[in-house]
């Protein structure tokens, strides 16, 4: 488990300083490699649209692509002070709570709660909602400062027919935004980058990446559906099945996601 800020430091340290222009808004991208942005117009042999779930690259190059779909739950993320824990994710009746140690001993925590898009919330509401969950969940929530909560609705992007067009390639969430249930969105963006860097042509990138990324979008969606069941009968059946399944079977079921070589 790695803190996102640490990952960004690693990535940034590999980029020459004068290659990065922060704070320039991109407004339009064209398949001939022209990019209209706040600083003017540029043209390039290759434009990589790595501009996230609301990608302007996707919207201007693939104007008919459907918009991201709300999955029905919101994730609240926070970092708790150092404490001895192992990685755990607990499923309840419609809600979920997970935590995992960071390399420096602090604890990454997340609460996933069902609700309408854009629902508001704060740490006090989370403390109340998870007050009777198992140890150390209430204690973790109590130890978090009131103002360090990140709240994000969960979305997924319906399948695009291609990740490339002309001189433009989509990468990461711009191409295949997924629900966070498998912790794979950022991982898949990194895989895209490795493959794109090595691909002989953009068609090869699309053929290598689209089936895999879209398969993981579907798997992630299925996990979210089961994890957020609320019917007591369905939840009891799910919990029994999870208890009876050997750990090795669960790990094997993740093999198509985790067993990837460039
Ligand atoms: C709650 C939650 C938990 C998650 N947990 C995990 C996890 O455990 N592991 C994992 O691998 N992934 C996880 N993800 C997914 C991960 O955050 C994303 O998949 C990842 O950030 C995608 O990276 P990206 O570079 O494609 O897009 P982004 O990280 O969204 O970056 C896009 C960048 O483009 C910039 N940009 C956008 N539009 C413009 C414009 N017009 N002009 C200029 N710049 C622009 C943005 O400012 C931003 O810097 C999680 C996501 C959520 C919501």
């Amino acid at each position: 488990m790695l803190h996102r800020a640490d990952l960004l430091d690693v990535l940034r340290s590999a980029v020459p300083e004068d290659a990065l222009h922060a704070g320039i808004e991109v407004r339009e991208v064209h398949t001939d490699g022209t990019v209209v942005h706040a600083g003017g117009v540029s043209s390039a042999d290759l434009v990589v649209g790595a501009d996230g779930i609301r990608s302007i690259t996707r919207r201007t190059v693939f104007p008919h692509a459907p918009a991201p779909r709300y999955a029905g739950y919101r994730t609240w993320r926070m970092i708790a002070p150092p404490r001895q824990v192992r990685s755990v994710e607990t499923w309840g009746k419609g809600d979920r709570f997970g935590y995992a140690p960071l390399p420096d001993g602090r604890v990454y925590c997340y609460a996933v709660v069902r609700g309408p898009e854009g629902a508001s919330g704060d740490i006090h509401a989370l403390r109340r909602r998870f007050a009777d969950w198992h140890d150390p969940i209430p204690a973790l929530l109590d130890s978090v400062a009131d103002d360090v909560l990140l709240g994000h609705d969960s979305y997924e992007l319906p399948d695009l027919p291609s990740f490339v067009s002309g001189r433009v390639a989509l990468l990461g969430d711009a191409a295949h935004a997924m629900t966070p249930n498998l912790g794979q969105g950022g991982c898949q963006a990194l895989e895209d980058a490795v493959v794109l860097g090595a691909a002989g042509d953009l068609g090869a990138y699309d053929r290598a990446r689209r089936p895999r990324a879209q398969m993981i979008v579907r798997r992630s969606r299925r996990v979210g559906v089961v994890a957020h069941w609320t019917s007591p009968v369905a939840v009891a059946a799910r919990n029994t099945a999870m208890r009876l399944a050997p750990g090795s079977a669960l790990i094997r079921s993740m093999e198509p996601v985790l067993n990837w070589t460039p």
Side-chain angles (χ1 to χ4, degrees), residues 4 24-26 50-52 56 75 77 152 171-173 180 183-187:
R4 188 176 300 244
I24 309 247
E25 188 200 353
V26 170
D51 46 353
I56 192 76
T75 306
R77 286 175 289 175
H152 286 94
L171 181 154
D173 278 12
Q184 279 291 314
C187 298

Side-chain angles (χ1 to χ4, degrees), residues 75-78 88-89 96-100 108-112:
T75 306
W76 295 95
R77 286 175 289 175
M78 63 219 104
V88 166
E89 182 171 297
R96 257 186 299 166
F97 197 97
Y99 48 90
Y108 165 58
C109 307
Y110 55 95
V112 193

Side-chain angles (χ1 to χ4, degrees), residues 24-25 27-28 30 32-44:
I24 309 247
E25 188 200 353
R27 292 175 181 154
E28 278 171 42
H30 299 277
D32 65 356
T34 309
V35 178
V36 181
H37 51 80
V41 178
S42 306
S43 66

Side-chain angles (χ1 to χ4, degrees), residues 23-240:
I24 309 247
E25 188 200 353
V26 170
R27 292 175 181 154
E28 278 171 42
V29 177
H30 299 277
T31 52
D32 65 356
T34 309
V35 178
V36 181
H37 51 80
V41 178
S42 306
S43 66
D45 294 336
L46 171 65
V47 180
V48 180
D51 46 353
I53 188 163
R54 306 281 163 197
S55 167
I56 192 76
T57 312
R58 185 180 69 240
R59 280 183 283 147
T60 52
V61 173
F62 298 94
H64 303 298
R69 264 193 307 250
Y70 178 53
Y73 39 88
R74 184 173 178 80
T75 306
W76 295 95
R77 286 175 289 175
M78 63 219 104
I79 305 284
R83 142 190 316 253
Q84 283 270 329
V85 292
R86 62 194 175 90
S87 296
V88 166
E89 182 171 297
T90 301
W91 293 2
K93 291 191 188 74
D95 292 344
R96 257 186 299 166
F97 197 97
Y99 48 90
L102 290 171
D104 63 5
R106 290 180 303 160
V107 185
Y108 165 58
C109 307
Y110 55 95
V112 193
V113 297
R114 284 168 13 110
E117 198 172 4
S120 59
D122 59 23
I123 189 73
H124 306 291
L126 288 180
R127 285 180 189 141
R128 284 194 300 276
R129 195 158 180 149
F130 291 91
D132 60 352
W133 284 46
H134 67 77
D135 187 50
I137 292 173
L140 283 167
L141 285 167
D142 281 343
S143 70
V144 169
D146 292 359
D147 58 350
V148 295
L149 208 55
L150 293 178
H152 286 94
D153 287 339
S154 302
Y155 295 93
E156 74 168 38
L157 186 68
D159 284 357
L160 294 180
S162 177
F163 287 178
V164 301
S165 180
R167 293 173 181 270
V168 179
L170 294 175
L171 181 154
D173 278 12
H176 48 66
M178 59 186 75
T179 50
N181 305 316
L182 296 175
Q184 279 291 314
C187 298
Q188 292 307 306
L190 292 171
E191 287 187 14
D192 288 347
V194 170
V195 172
L196 181 60
D201 62 81
L202 291 186
Y205 165 70
D206 180 53
R207 285 190 298 279
R209 290 305 304 159
R210 197 158 38 85
R212 174 168 167 75
Q214 292 178 345
M215 174 271 287
I216 296 176
V217 172
R218 284 193 297 277
R219 277 177 165 256
S220 186
R221 178 198 315 145
R222 286 201 295 265
V223 170
V225 168
V226 177
H228 290 283
W229 277 343
T230 51
S231 141
V233 177
V235 168
R238 177 197 73 194
N239 292 356
T240 305

